[in-house]
């Protein structure tokens, strides 16, 4: 019994000594922050998502305080945060860029996109491409392993029926899914953009169709129906990002698409 009590006392004394030592070291090597940096940090949302390109909100605040980053560096905070940060810095608020949203330019779901083989392994798009080159016949299509989904800190992108889809209301355009996608088929587009072509296949129409029933086959019907809304580039229909386009004409052009690979946002 005495040995147990002795062990408890020793551990208690050691804990006290270590705590005191750590406190002294922390006080000795403490990095002082300026009042401005603290005010900027308080104005940031605290998500620590890294979308700004800095290691969390502390890193972003330090960069802004030093003049190394703009007052609207916080992507997810939007205009409200930018104004608060500008006030903390004592400068005039700078209008942030137009709100954007991520779009997965693929519509090759399980029923439409053909597989080269049945994949059973690590559920990571980059690993699958590195090991096997990707299971899809279409080299431009979503693999569907969900690397983008795992990367998104805002639960804004999920794989449904073999292809990633973005929740426009949750997406803050942090760009993490864009960087994570090994196929480079996720783009950031203006939130107010009214239409998007959900295909990235640049092969000739007949070749694209063999690999995916939802592929753009470069039939040009959308571009002929509404030239201001769509144009053909490298065997692929490309939407116009102009937000002033006629929504009804865009819908008419989308209805002409034989493979339903154009999505129009109301």
């Amino acid at each position: 019994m005495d040995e147990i009590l002795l062990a408890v006392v020793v551990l208690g004394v050691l804990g006290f000594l270590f705590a005191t030592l750590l406190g002294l070291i922390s006080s000795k090597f403490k990095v002082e922050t300026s009042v401005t940096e603290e005010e900027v940090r308080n104005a940031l949302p605290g998500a620590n998502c890294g979308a700004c390109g800095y290691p969390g909100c502390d890193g972003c605040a330090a960069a802004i305080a030093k003049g190394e980053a703009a007052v609207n560096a916080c992507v997810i905070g939007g205009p409200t945060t930018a104004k608060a940060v500008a006030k903390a810095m004592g400068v005039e608020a700078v209008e942030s860029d137009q709100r954007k949203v991520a779009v997965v330019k693929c519509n090759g779901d399980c029923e439409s996109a053909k597989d080269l083989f049945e994949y059973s392994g690590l559920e990571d798009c980059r690993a699958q491409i590195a090991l096997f080159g990707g299971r899809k016949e279409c080299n431009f299509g979503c693999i569907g392993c969900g690397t983008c989904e795992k990367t998104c800190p805002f639960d804004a992108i999920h794989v449904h029926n073999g292809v990633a889809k973005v929740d426009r209301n949750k997406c803050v355009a942090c760009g993490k899914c864009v960087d994570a996608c090994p196929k480079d088929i996720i783009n950031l587009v203006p939130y107010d953009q009214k239409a998007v072509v959900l295909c990235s296949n640049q092969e000739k129409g007949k070749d694209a169709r063999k690999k995916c029933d939802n592929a753009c086959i470069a039939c040009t019907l959308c571009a002929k129906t509404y030239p201001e809304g769509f144009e053909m580039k490298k065997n692929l229909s490309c939407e116009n990002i102009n937000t002033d386009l006629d929504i009804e004409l865009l819908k008419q052009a989308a209805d002409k698409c034989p493979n339903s690979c154009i999505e129009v946002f109301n």
Side-chain angles (χ1 to χ4, degrees):
M1 189 67 180
D2 291 340
E3 293 179 353
I4 296 175
L5 289 174
L6 179 62
V8 171
V9 171
V10 171
L11 287 174
V13 172
L14 288 174
F16 175 78
L17 290 175
F18 282 128
T20 303
L21 181 61
L22 288 172
L24 292 173
I25 293 174
S26 175
S27 176
K28 178 70 174 178
F29 296 99
K30 180 181 179 181
V31 178
E32 297 293 336
T33 58
S34 66
V35 175
T36 301
E37 183 178 330
E38 290 182 0
E39 291 176 344
V40 171
R41 176 63 185 83
N42 291 333
L44 296 174
N48 292 315
C49 62
C52 57
Y54 295 95
C57 292
D58 288 341
C60 183
I64 293 174
K66 293 175 184 177
E68 298 174 356
V71 295
N72 61 349
C74 177
V75 178
I76 70 168
T80 302
T81 296
K83 289 179 181 178
V85 171
K87 183 178 180 181
M89 289 292 292
V91 298
E92 189 173 343
V94 178
E95 288 294 329
S96 60
D97 293 335
Q98 183 183 23
R99 180 185 174 185
K100 293 185 178 181
V101 65
V103 170
V104 181
K105 303 207 73 176
C106 177
N107 200 28
D109 55 30
C110 294
E111 289 75 31
S112 304
K114 279 62 171 189
D115 287 340
L116 287 171
F117 52 84
E118 183 176 344
Y119 176 73
S120 178
L122 182 63
E123 286 298 307
D124 183 272
C125 300
R126 294 164 296 191
Q128 186 181 138
I129 286 181
L131 293 173
F132 306 105
R135 70 170 180 264
K136 298 291 185 182
E137 285 193 27
C138 177
N139 290 323
F140 302 88
C142 176
I143 295 177
C145 283
T147 301
C148 54
E149 179 179 338
K150 300 179 184 74
T151 303
C152 179
F154 303 101
D155 193 40
I157 185 168
H158 295 278
V159 175
H160 296 287
N161 196 22
V163 64
K165 298 290 183 181
V166 176
D167 186 331
R168 289 167 56 84
N169 295 320
K170 289 184 178 180
C171 179
V172 298
C174 68
K176 286 185 175 292
C177 60
V178 177
D179 296 335
C181 180
K183 291 290 189 177
D184 295 325
I185 59 171
I186 305 180
N187 298 338
L188 294 181
V189 303
Y191 183 83
D192 294 333
Q193 182 174 312
K194 295 179 179 178
V196 62
V197 178
L198 299 177
C199 182
S200 301
N201 196 322
Q202 300 177 7
E203 298 176 289
K204 292 182 178 180
K206 62 178 183 178
D207 297 324
R209 185 59 183 272
K210 288 178 181 178
K211 299 174 181 179
C212 179
D213 293 336
N214 289 344
C216 173
I217 56 175
C219 66
T220 74
L221 286 175
C222 57
K224 291 177 179 176
T225 302
Y226 191 21
E228 289 77 15
F230 303 92
E231 61 177 324
M232 306 304 299
K233 293 181 180 179
K234 297 180 179 180
N235 298 316
L236 182 66
S237 172
C238 298
E239 70 279 356
N240 190 330
I241 63 172
N242 187 343
T243 57
D244 296 326
L245 297 173
D246 188 306
I247 191 73
E248 294 303 322
L249 290 177
L250 286 172
K251 289 180 179 180
Q252 290 178 26
D255 289 340
K256 293 284 186 179
C257 178
N259 293 338
S260 301
C261 62
I262 298 176
E263 183 174 4
V264 178
F265 307 109
N266 292 323

